[in-house]
Amino acid sequence: MNRLLLTLLMGYLLLGCKETLTEEPAIRRLVNETPYEVVVEVFGSDERFTYELSPFDSLDINGVCVSGVEDYCDLGWVTSLNNATITFEGERVQEFEGLPDDPEQKAVNADPRGVGFGYVRTFEEIDGIEVDVYTYRITQEDYDNAEIIQ
């Protein structure tokens, strides 16, 4: 009898403590601040996302960020995929494998909700709703530091 009572009590407590997930609209914004055509590819073992940006242009990738039991953003790709490249007019390429240990270093493949990695969080009001905007800027310094494609 005590075992049954204990089992019922534990079940009640587990169900009563169930946390809900909250979804909020968000935007991942890729900004090309260079005079070069840029191709951004983010990929893992079974997924690949490709985005093309004209010189001095930007691209908004709409999605949601989820809070609660899990915290993550689905803004084009979910969480951090292992690899990414930024190719500048087929001349130079910046490669990302995993995430750097130092969040001060840039990594376009990072989950923008994480700390740093080149993403800056701002807010914009869209249709009366405050939306998180996570901006990643592709700069002349990125081009200068990218490897020349042979």
Side-chain angles (χ1 to χ4, degrees), residues 28 42 73 77-83 98-99 109-112 117:
R28 181 191 307 260
V42 181
C73 290
W77 58 92
V78 178
T79 66
S80 300
L81 292 178
N82 278 348
N83 305 295
L99 295 178
N109 53 316
D111 183 338
F117 301 110

Side-chain angles (χ1 to χ4, degrees), residues 31-60:
V31 178
N32 180 7
E33 295 181 345
T34 74
Y36 309 100
E37 295 282 336
V38 168
V39 176
V40 176
E41 288 188 287
V42 181
F43 51 96
S45 60
D46 62 344
E47 293 182 287
R48 179 176 295 271
F49 300 91
T50 303
Y51 305 96
E52 297 179 9
L53 288 98
S54 297
F56 305 107
D57 198 7
S58 65
L59 173 69
D60 285 355

Side-chain angles (χ1 to χ4, degrees), residues 66-98:
V66 176
S67 301
V69 176
E70 297 180 70
D71 289 332
Y72 65 90
C73 290
D74 183 356
L75 300 168
W77 58 92
V78 178
T79 66
S80 300
L81 292 178
N82 278 348
N83 305 295
T85 60
I86 299 176
T87 306
F88 299 87
E89 290 190 358
E91 297 174 2
R92 292 179 180 243
V93 64
Q94 192 175 34
E95 296 180 318
F96 304 89
E97 293 182 22

Side-chain angles (χ1 to χ4, degrees), residues 5-37:
L5 185 58
L6 182 60
T7 302
L8 289 173
L9 180 60
M10 290 299 289
Y12 175 76
L13 288 175
L14 287 174
L15 290 175
C17 294
K18 183 180 175 186
E19 190 173 340
T20 59
L21 294 176
T22 304
E23 284 188 2
E24 296 185 9
I27 296 171
R28 181 191 307 260
R29 180 171 291 151
L30 303 176
V31 178
N32 180 7
E33 295 181 345
T34 74
Y36 309 100
E37 295 282 336

